[in-house]
Amino acid sequence: MSYPHAARMRLALAGLLREMRPQQWYKQGVVLLGVVFSRHLLDPAAWVGALAAATAFTAVAGAVYVFNDISDVEEDRQHPTKRNRPIASGQVSIPLAVAFGTLLAVGGLALAYATDVLVLGVILAYVGQNALYTLFLKEVAFADTIVIAVGFVLRAIAGVVAISVRLSPWLIVCTFLLALVLALGKRRHELDETGGPKGTDENDGENTRESLGTYRAGAVDQLLVVAAATLLMAYALYTFTGTDDAMMLTLPFAFFGVFRYHHLVHTTDVGGKPEYLLLDRPLASNCALWLAVVVAVLYDLPAVVGFPGVMP
């Protein structure tokens, strides 16, 4: 008689892990940007602080996902894919989800406080903006995408304050714009997935939440182009005005990455699943090359290996 109970427990535990959205943990990589761009890549103490902040964000974000799914359970049950989520499908009971979400929140906030009180402040701001999103802003078109972008910015800020370095305005601007591009790509995919409106008032009732009924595919396409162009302009200005002019060498990779993403949004379903972007080989290779050039420039690797003067 114990086997069915054990099987149910394993099923519930697997559901709780899925509720934490492991596929979304890549977002915490933004926390590590401060280590790279502040030239602390080889500083073990900086990595300890940044990884602690990333772990705290992972736990708190997991709690946010859990409580969002509890709040949206009825809507999710009407969604073609979200109805398979553990809470919506009944794999995880709501009382168990509440207990698990509370544990994640308390643990994450405690770790944030132990890392730095400023990290705790940033994560509390993240919790606050997500509460506003769940209660109000998710039903307001375009405000919902901006909230998503702000969440990425808060991650970047947490990574900076965790290692006590100067916060660059370029990090904020470029992170916000990149996240905005990803959020608009996701909204574009959702319109296709739910049969949402594409310039008319048809199918409004088929959308699973009110804000999608306000979006129009044509308008989202235009805004995606605007956001992508602004991102490239901001990144280009950063490379021109930063501490090292050689950062301009990374521009071709930035342009290719944005162009490739725009292509994938309109030819595949990757817009709705940005966590799978790096499964695209051209994009993954481009990102690896971009990072390699960034590290080579910021850490003056040509001079380190005996070729001074290669980088200005």
Side-chain angles (χ1 to χ4, degrees), residues 100-122:
F100 182 65
T102 301
L103 180 63
L104 285 175
V106 172
L109 293 175
L111 178 58
Y113 177 76
T115 303
D116 192 293
V117 68
L118 292 177
V119 174
L120 175 63
V122 173

Side-chain angles (χ1 to χ4, degrees), residues 81 182 184-194 260-277 279-280:
T81 57
L182 295 176
L184 288 169
K186 188 175 180 66
R187 289 292 174 265
R188 185 63 175 82
H189 171 77
E190 287 178 338
L191 286 174
D192 289 338
E193 185 181 48
T194 61
R260 180 67 182 175
Y261 175 73
H262 187 271
H263 170 75
L264 293 174
V265 166
H266 289 89
T267 58
T268 70
D269 64 351
V270 76
K273 301 175 181 178
E275 60 270 22
Y276 298 130
L277 278 174
L279 295 181
D280 178 71

Side-chain angles (χ1 to χ4, degrees), residues 92-252:
V92 173
S93 68
I94 290 181
L96 178 60
V98 169
F100 182 65
T102 301
L103 180 63
L104 285 175
V106 172
L109 293 175
L111 178 58
Y113 177 76
T115 303
D116 192 293
V117 68
L118 292 177
V119 174
L120 175 63
V122 173
I123 292 183
L124 286 175
Y126 171 81
V127 172
Q129 67 130 29
N130 273 278
L132 290 175
Y133 175 85
T134 300
L135 295 174
F136 309 109
L137 297 179
K138 70 179 180 180
E139 304 298 351
V140 180
F142 305 113
D144 56 345
T145 58
I146 291 174
V147 168
I148 292 172
V150 170
F152 279 84
V153 171
L154 291 175
R155 287 176 171 89
I157 293 174
V160 170
V161 300
I163 61 176
S164 302
V165 297
R166 175 183 174 272
L167 178 62
S168 168
W170 291 115
L171 178 64
I172 296 176
V173 170
C174 291
T175 299
F176 175 79
L177 290 169
L178 176 60
L180 192 60
V181 168
L182 295 176
L184 288 169
K186 188 175 180 66
R187 289 292 174 265
R188 185 63 175 82
H189 171 77
E190 287 178 338
L191 286 174
D192 289 338
E193 185 181 48
T194 61
K198 308 211 172 20
T200 71
D201 291 329
E202 295 180 301
N203 299 327
D204 280 4
E206 296 182 19
N207 291 313
T208 58
R209 53 193 173 88
E210 188 175 329
S211 66
L212 276 181
T214 308
Y215 283 102
R216 297 294 184 270
V220 174
D221 286 338
Q222 292 175 3
L223 290 173
L224 183 57
V225 171
V226 170
T230 308
L231 168 62
L232 290 174
M233 179 61 71
Y235 184 76
L237 288 173
Y238 157 67
T239 65
F240 297 155
T241 61
T243 57
D244 199 323
D245 291 343
M247 281 296 290
M248 288 187 288
L249 295 174
T250 66
L251 280 175

Side-chain angles (χ1 to χ4, degrees), residues 49-85:
L51 289 174
T55 303
F57 242 111
T58 299
V60 173
V64 169
Y65 291 139
V66 170
F67 288 115
N68 279 348
D69 283 358
I70 293 172
S71 173
D72 296 342
V73 63
E74 295 303 326
E75 291 181 1
D76 287 352
R77 286 170 179 164
Q78 306 304 316
H79 193 277
T81 57
K82 292 180 181 180
R83 64 187 178 188
N84 297 319
R85 288 177 175 175

